[in-house]
Amino acid sequence: NNASDPWSSWNVGKSGNWDNGNTGDGWATKPESAAGQRNSASNNWDTAAAFGHPQAYQGPAAADDDDWDDDWDDPKSSSPSYLGYKETESSEAGGSQRGNSRAAAMKLPLNKFPGFAKPGMEQYLLAKQLAKPKEKIPIIIGDYGPMWVYPTSTFDCVVADPKKGSKMYGLKSYIEYQLTCTNTNRSVNHRYKHFDWLYERLLVKFGLAIPIPSLPDKQVTGRFEEEFIKMRMERLQAWMTRMCRHPVVSESEVFQQFLNFRDEKEWKTGKRKAEKDETVGVLIFSTMEPEAPDLDMVEIEQKCDAVGRFTKAMDDGVKELLTVGQEHWKRCTGPLPKEYQKIGKALQSLALVFSTSGYQGESDLNEAITEAGKTYEEIASLVADQPKKDLHFLMETNHEYKGFLGCFPDIIGAHKGAIERVKESDKLVATSKITPQDKQNMVKRVSTMAYALQAEMNHFHSNRIYDYNSVIRLYLEQQAQFYETVRCSISVPFSWHVLC
């Protein structure tokens, strides 16, 4: 609150919150996907092919982990009940609390990172001359407006081959995953905590410009059970695929270093360099160069409001589908199969009664009813297994998007805060605390932020269309196949024994 600071008499909290600091809406606390390009190496529900690389670097040595949090998982986390995992009291009706890990990450000592400190917005808007960072993020105008520049070649990262490791003479155990880039075919090994470190670095660096989805939840018990490891690997695969598909994140130095280090020394050097990076938080906008004229403040505000309205409405729709999907999953794996089993047993009981009549002309009918009863018992198994074939992928996609959408309140809050600063800057010009040129610079820099937001939304929309087209198509095709299987199963008994 230095007297020379032109912002000292203002409410500093305005710049970083959604709706002037109202955090009561749970939407603002639940983060997770910019989705895939059409030429992606794989969909996030494809089964990852295992790459065997005996020459793969086996990850940082145990000694390098001493300054990190332990690999124990958060006791408040939970896995989605629709997959049969235990739920905690904190779990939502819509599924797992994947966003909790982001909330925890945001509790980092942010004063270590200049862009996230309270004066961060002013540091960007009012700097006489921004430092020239080595990295540059161009924004061009495409067919649908501002967009990031996509690399000429894309790549994916296959997460596979989970193995149990230990340190401290076996006192601590962990699971290590092999990561193989499709463009280099080289492999490195990483523990979950390494992924968590990468997530935090990406969040601190890009979190006010690009939604960084949270990692799959941590867990205290059952960490080494096969089903849990399989589910965590599937979700780490989806997370890495999302990051690989983003043209800015995938090309960033910290992400490339995470995938391509060659030995322990290179890993440690890259890790320390990333942790000392000062181009983080709001300062990430200083690296962006829109190839377009500056926007006026009215247009900037309109575009920011439009993004806020859409992402909030989509978030509501995604959560509703998650709630309905979980209820349907529970019904398909619980009461519904039991109802089919009851019908099947009742039909077989009726056929048994009919067979005691002694009437010779009803043997075909009795046999048909018996077969129909057995068919209904088989349908019970089909119903119980079906969600794993279609609903699972729909739910997972919505979980990812729920987390992505949960990032937008922070992003929109930063933009709204910057807009408010510009609106109120006339007072500072009038009192000679800043010059007209300073205000002009502020407008130009807020315009850069607006272009970045539009570029991100164009990426988000194109991937959203691709993702939902793919997953809804898969769901409907599997549903149609399921009902066709049921129809054929039911028609067989009577077509054989009666209608013929």
Side-chain angles (χ1 to χ4, degrees):
N1 292 328
N2 192 312
S4 63
D5 181 2
W7 310 103
S8 60
S9 61
W10 293 3
N11 179 7
V12 187
K14 279 185 179 180
S15 65
N17 296 322
W18 174 254
D19 288 339
N20 291 330
N22 179 14
T23 58
D25 184 358
W27 185 53
T29 61
K30 308 291 180 189
E32 230 154 315
S33 197
Q37 296 176 11
R38 288 170 176 77
N39 60 352
S40 167
S42 65
N43 290 329
N44 61 325
W45 49 78
D46 289 341
T47 303
F51 286 75
H53 292 279
Q55 77 276 18
Y57 175 54
Q58 296 303 307
D64 189 44
D65 295 333
D66 291 343
D67 58 337
W68 292 11
D69 291 334
D70 197 7
D71 207 27
W72 290 105
D73 289 342
D74 184 357
K76 293 184 180 180
S77 67
S78 62
S79 298
S81 61
Y82 68 84
L83 293 175
Y85 295 122
K86 295 179 180 179
E87 278 190 297
T88 66
E89 295 179 358
S90 63
S91 66
E92 285 186 343
S96 69
Q97 296 289 298
R98 299 181 67 183
N100 286 346
S101 57
R102 182 175 184 273
M106 290 302 288
K107 294 176 183 176
L108 291 169
L110 299 179
N111 58 325
K112 291 170 61 178
F113 310 110
F116 269 83
K118 280 191 175 181
M121 186 61 68
E122 294 76 51
Q123 185 178 2
Y124 169 65
L125 292 179
L126 270 181
K128 294 294 182 183
Q129 186 173 2
L130 292 171
K132 295 290 185 182
K134 294 181 180 179
E135 53 189 329
K136 292 292 182 183
I137 303 175
I139 301 173
I140 61 175
I141 304 299
D143 294 338
Y144 298 98
M147 59 182 291
W148 306 119
V149 176
Y150 287 78
T152 54
S153 61
T154 60
F155 68 95
D156 201 353
C157 175
V158 177
V159 182
D161 197 22
K163 292 180 180 178
K164 188 174 182 179
S166 62
K167 64 178 186 177
M168 294 178 64
Y169 303 100
L171 293 177
K172 290 188 177 182
S173 299
Y174 54 86
I175 299 297
E176 200 169 48
Y177 303 88
Q178 185 181 79
L179 280 66
T180 305
C181 281
T182 57
N183 60 341
T184 63
N185 211 31
R186 285 190 64 252
S187 295
V188 294
N189 285 13
H190 280 298
R191 295 167 56 180
Y192 177 87
K193 66 162 59 178
H194 301 169
F195 286 95
D196 198 42
W197 174 86
L198 175 64
Y199 163 69
E200 291 183 354
R201 300 319 313 166
L202 294 177
L203 182 65
V204 168
K205 186 170 183 64
F206 297 111
L208 292 184
I210 297 170
I212 304 296
S214 61
L215 290 170
D217 273 345
K218 298 180 178 182
Q219 184 161 309
V220 174
T221 59
R223 290 185 300 131
F224 303 116
E225 293 177 4
E226 184 177 349
E227 281 301 311
F228 174 76
I229 293 173
K230 180 181 177 182
M231 176 53 62
R232 172 172 277 186
M233 185 172 70
E234 179 182 333
R235 287 183 166 175
L236 288 174
Q237 174 69 71
W239 190 85
M240 288 301 298
T241 296
R242 298 294 184 188
M243 296 297 97
C244 290
R245 288 172 178 173
H246 198 285
V248 175
V249 174
S250 64
E251 295 295 305
S252 65
E253 186 175 359
V254 62
F255 191 73
Q256 287 290 327
Q257 190 270 345
F258 183 80
L259 294 177
N260 296 312
F261 65 94
R262 295 183 177 275
D263 53 38
E264 184 177 341
K265 181 179 179 181
E266 190 173 329
W267 164 259
K268 287 184 176 181
T269 302
K271 179 173 174 287
R272 293 191 186 101
K273 183 178 179 182
E275 290 168 351
K276 292 178 180 178
D277 186 3
E278 294 187 351
T279 311
V280 296
V282 74
L283 292 182
I284 192 64
F285 295 109
S286 67
T287 69
M288 298 178 183
E289 297 181 339
E291 299 177 6
D294 295 342
L295 300 171
D296 62 59
M297 291 306 299
V298 174
E299 187 176 5
I300 290 172
E301 191 165 15
Q302 288 174 345
K303 292 183 180 300
C304 183
D305 289 341
V307 171
R309 285 193 300 271
F310 175 81
T311 52
K312 179 64 171 70
M314 182 178 172
D315 185 73
D316 292 339
V318 164
K319 288 179 178 176
E320 181 182 3
L321 185 54
L322 283 171
T323 299
V324 172
Q326 181 167 327
E327 291 172 354
H328 183 63
W329 187 293
K330 288 180 178 179
R331 182 167 175 76
C332 287
T333 55
L336 197 55
K338 293 178 182 178
E339 292 174 13
Y340 279 101
Q341 289 173 348
K342 288 178 180 179
I343 293 173
K345 291 185 183 301
L347 288 172
Q348 292 178 73
S349 297
L350 183 62
L352 185 60
V353 172
F354 284 177
S355 67
T356 62
S357 69
Y359 187 71
Q360 298 298 320
E362 66 175 348
S363 59
D364 285 344
L365 173 63
N366 294 343
E367 189 172 345
I369 295 175
T370 300
E371 289 300 316
K374 292 179 180 178
T375 298
Y376 266 81
E377 290 186 318
E378 293 172 359
I379 290 175
S381 298
L382 292 176
V383 170
D385 292 339
Q386 187 61 26
K388 298 176 184 177
K389 300 177 181 179
D390 49 31
L391 186 58
H392 167 75
F393 303 112
L394 184 60
M395 296 286 279
E396 283 298 296
T397 298
N398 275 274
H399 271 294
E400 289 186 81
Y401 272 90
K402 175 188 170 187
F404 261 109
L405 292 162
C407 297
F408 276 100
D410 287 338
I411 294 173
I412 300 298
H415 285 74
K416 281 184 174 290
I419 292 170
E420 288 301 315
R421 291 291 192 261
V422 174
K423 283 183 178 180
E424 297 172 347
S425 61
D426 287 333
K427 300 176 184 177
L428 300 180
V429 173
T431 57
S432 300
K433 289 190 174 181
I434 64 173
T435 66
Q437 181 62 44
D438 290 334
K439 179 183 176 180
Q440 188 175 342
N441 289 340
M442 291 173 67
V443 174
K444 182 178 181 64
R445 289 166 186 174
V446 173
S447 177
T448 297
M449 294 176 67
Y451 276 119
L453 182 61
Q454 293 176 73
E456 183 54 37
M457 287 310 296
N458 277 329
H459 176 77
F460 180 86
H461 285 314
S462 65
N463 291 314
R464 171 181 58 84
I465 292 168
Y466 173 81
D467 274 347
Y468 277 92
N469 179 59
S470 300
V471 75
I472 297 294
R473 182 188 299 273
L474 172 67
Y475 179 77
L476 295 179
E477 287 174 349
Q478 288 294 324
Q479 282 281 292
Q481 184 176 333
F482 165 73
Y483 285 110
E484 179 64 19
T485 302
V486 171
R487 187 194 69 80
C488 292
S489 299
I490 292 176
S491 65
V492 167
F494 271 73
S495 65
W496 283 359
H497 299 288
V498 177
L499 298 181
C500 292

